[in-house]
Amino acid sequence: SIYWHMVSKLLLAVQETLERAVAEEADDAVVAALRDAYEDVRQGLGYCKSPAVYGAFPTDPYSHTPKGHGARQPGMTGQVKEEVLTRLGELGLRVAGGRIAIRPILLRPTEWTTAPATFACRDVSGQQRSIDLPANSLAFTFCQVPVVYHRGGDAVTVTAHLADGSTAEHHGELSAELSASIFRRGGLVEALSVHVPAVVEV
């Protein structure tokens, strides 16, 4: 269990180093090498391996603490924490200076829909929502706000769909006001549509 947690910590550290390299406009070869290193580390995590290769069930629940006992093997619990952070990073969603910024640099070609699909989620009021997704899109939620990515365009553009029916377009990051409303689950922002250039993929 320590192994899982330490590998996931390494995964997060490589991701943060990659993000810093991109922000500092490092050489393309350095960025590409860091992307490759990130994927190599991810493949080292147990769930990426078969039981035959791993020598056991890759994510066996034995690492959970038994009822009535203190924490004994927190490795899987620690891995989950890092995985939440790294997954948001893979999707390109970050918070900086109180603003939600979207800079996807680790999206994989397999992330995108290949045919129209439907995304089901619950909004901030707890209501079930169903969103039609075209091909070449992907969707997730952040603070219960649906976020839909579309491939295309020359730069990352974020369109906030507001409760009053209006929209607000931003380049790369939302305003502090809209970000704060999303954090509070205030209902001002009903959904985010993001156009992502294909060149940011791994």
Side-chain angles (χ1 to χ4, degrees):
S1 60
I2 292 173
Y3 174 77
W4 294 333
H5 195 183
M6 295 311 292
V7 174
S8 62
K9 281 179 176 290
L10 176 61
L11 187 71
L12 181 58
V14 174
Q15 185 183 91
E16 290 172 342
T17 302
L18 170 59
E19 291 173 3
R20 188 165 55 251
V22 171
E24 294 173 357
E25 299 180 353
D27 185 79
D28 288 347
V30 172
V31 172
L34 285 168
R35 282 178 172 164
D36 290 343
Y38 182 86
E39 293 300 326
D40 284 346
V41 174
R42 178 163 283 299
Q43 289 305 309
L45 287 166
Y47 77 89
C48 293
K49 302 179 182 300
S50 69
V53 170
Y54 198 70
F57 290 106
T59 48
D60 193 287
Y62 73 79
S63 69
H64 287 258
T65 300
K67 182 179 180 181
H69 295 277
R72 293 191 171 187
Q73 297 197 36
M76 186 180 288
T77 305
Q79 180 185 347
V80 168
K81 178 184 68 177
E82 265 79 29
E83 284 291 332
V84 169
L85 297 174
T86 54
R87 185 58 184 149
L88 286 174
E90 288 174 359
L91 292 168
L93 198 148
R94 294 158 181 83
V95 177
R99 296 170 180 252
I100 296 170
I102 298 180
R103 280 194 319 273
I105 55 176
L106 281 169
L107 286 177
R108 303 171 185 88
T110 55
E111 302 268 19
W112 302 94
T113 59
T114 57
T118 302
F119 176 63
C121 62
R122 290 192 181 275
D123 62 21
V124 294
S125 63
Q127 298 300 308
Q128 187 74 27
R129 287 189 61 180
S130 182
I131 300 172
D132 292 329
L133 300 178
N136 288 316
S137 64
L138 66 89
F140 60 97
T141 61
F142 181 67
C143 297
Q144 291 179 264
V145 172
V147 182
V148 181
Y149 282 12
H150 304 272
R151 261 200 299 205
D154 298 324
V156 175
T157 57
V158 185
T159 302
H161 299 270
L162 308 182
D164 64 5
S166 64
T167 60
E169 187 169 304
H170 302 265
H171 293 283
E173 68 178 25
L174 292 177
S175 67
E177 177 190 6
L178 292 181
S179 297
S181 177
I182 291 174
F183 299 147
R184 290 192 310 266
R185 292 172 166 81
L188 175 61
V189 180
E190 290 192 336
L192 298 175
S193 295
V194 183
H195 282 84
V196 179
V199 294
V200 300
E201 295 173 4
V202 175

